[in-house]
Amino acid sequence: MDAFEILFTASFWVAAIRIASPLIFATMGELICERAGVLNLGIEGIMVAGAFAGWVTVYAGGDLWMGVAIAALAGAMFGLLHGTLTVPLGLSQHVVGIGITLLATSLTYFTYRVVLPQVSSPPRIEPFRNWAVPYLSDIPILGPALFNQTPLTYLAFVTVAVVAWVLYRTPLGLAVRAAGENPAAVEAQGMSVTAIRMGAVMVGSALMAVGGAFLTMSAFNSFFFEMVNGRGWICIALVVFGSWRPGKALLGAILFAAFDAYQVRLQQITGGVVPYQIFLMMPYVLSILALVVMARRATYPKALMIPYQKGER
């Protein structure tokens, strides 16, 4: 099989969709935050905390969906902290976000050592299993890729549809977008900019944590600290790539995941002739190039990263 034929195999697209799933959750979470005017750089740490919270819940005897719920709750709590510091208090969103990442990662490491003090290798859990959609999963290439995945992958795609519908078809979505564009107009309508931004950050952070939980409960069956591996930072770039629109951000996540899946298969074809670091670098280089092209035409929320106090004009 040559490098071009890889693109037309079912296994390649199955892997791409699986790799994209945690990115979709986290990207939607970041998009919600930024649409409301808050840059959440705590995404990397929140994903680590979500991965651990979901995994340890199942390991302690909870079912898989309870693990997802606990992960989302943990993410929302970090979102509450982030929102409190950046929205009503108006502290630097950059500094607070990095602080949240450090806090979430360190707290996760501490909790892991307290819960499992004598464990040298992470215990395994029973993760989500693939669920094949009848008839649709039999479609060549597309069927296995889209309709023979775990329930969390299906939930990721549903999340995109829900976020798009809420943002563009409901009064709540209009309020969120207005908070990121013109918060004074939101206040003029008698709504609380603080409440809208705080809620957006909490919901967005919950989705980021679910993205992390996907790694331990769907992609793998155990927890280790390097598993997020920069995915949070990629999701921030995907929001820009998608011009702050859910549909375009979804395509960006799938594109990056396809690059990642492709480089793994290219390594197998070359048989070690080319240093593997070149292949590992490929998805990020191609993503940067795509980001440069798309970002030139992107229109960002005008009030992004700008604190707002009640009564300001």
Side-chain angles (χ1 to χ4, degrees):
M1 181 183 297
D2 60 31
F4 184 70
E5 290 176 346
I6 292 174
L7 300 176
F8 300 96
T9 61
S11 61
F12 167 74
W13 288 107
V14 167
I17 296 299
R18 185 176 64 249
I19 294 170
S21 297
L23 301 178
I24 294 171
F25 280 117
T27 300
M28 291 301 108
E30 182 66 30
L31 187 147
I32 292 171
C33 294
E34 294 192 21
R35 270 296 192 174
V38 180
L39 175 66
N40 191 345
L41 294 182
I43 181 171
E44 184 82 2
I46 292 173
M47 289 184 73
V48 172
F52 175 76
W55 171 79
V56 78
T57 299
V58 177
Y59 177 71
D63 63 31
L64 290 168
W65 288 111
M66 180 183 292
V68 173
I70 295 297
L73 179 61
M77 291 300 99
F78 282 110
L80 176 62
L81 176 59
H82 187 290
T84 301
L85 294 174
T86 58
V87 179
L89 298 181
L91 301 181
S92 169
Q93 295 177 13
H94 297 89
V95 174
V96 171
I98 296 299
I100 291 294
T101 285
L102 295 175
L103 173 64
T105 304
S106 301
L107 188 60
T108 299
Y109 183 82
F110 174 77
T111 306
Y112 179 88
R113 290 304 177 193
V114 170
V115 174
L116 301 167
Q118 306 298 328
V119 173
S120 57
S121 60
R124 298 181 178 183
I125 62 171
E126 188 67 26
F128 282 102
R129 296 297 183 185
N130 284 14
W131 181 71
V133 179
Y135 304 111
L136 294 178
S137 60
D138 296 328
I139 300 173
I141 300 180
L142 185 64
L146 293 179
F147 303 110
N148 191 11
Q149 297 280 357
T150 67
L152 281 185
T153 293
Y154 300 134
L155 181 61
F157 283 91
V158 171
T159 298
V160 176
V162 171
V163 170
W165 179 76
V166 170
L167 283 179
Y168 296 105
R169 294 290 185 269
T170 67
L172 175 61
L174 178 60
V176 170
R177 289 185 287 125
E181 294 284 349
N182 188 353
V186 175
E187 185 184 342
Q189 295 297 316
M191 294 180 287
S192 171
V193 176
T194 298
I196 292 171
R197 287 185 168 181
M198 289 282 292
V201 173
M202 290 182 67
V203 171
S205 297
L207 287 177
M208 296 172 192
V210 173
F214 179 94
L215 297 173
T216 51
M217 301 170 62
S218 195
F220 306 104
N221 59 1
S222 61
F223 171 81
F224 52 94
F225 285 94
E226 296 79 17
M227 68 190 323
V228 174
N229 195 29
R231 286 179 173 87
W233 312 124
I234 289 296
C235 292
I236 295 174
L238 289 175
V239 172
V240 181
F241 175 87
S243 302
W244 289 267
R245 294 182 177 274
K248 288 185 178 180
L250 169 64
L251 293 178
I254 294 175
L255 182 63
F256 175 83
F259 289 156
D260 200 6
Y262 192 59
Q263 63 87 11
V264 173
R265 283 152 179 78
L266 283 182
Q267 288 188 53
Q268 297 171 350
I269 291 176
T270 59
V273 176
V274 180
Y276 74 93
Q277 291 88 348
I278 299 296
F279 296 106
L280 292 176
M281 184 175 62
M282 277 181 53
Y284 299 94
V285 173
L286 293 174
S287 298
I288 290 172
L289 293 176
L291 181 63
V292 169
V293 173
M294 296 298 295
R296 294 171 67 88
R297 293 175 287 179
T299 302
Y300 63 90
K302 293 181 175 58
L304 180 62
M305 296 185 291
I306 300 177
Y308 181 81
Q309 297 297 328
K310 187 174 181 180
E312 286 185 356
R313 289 292 185 271

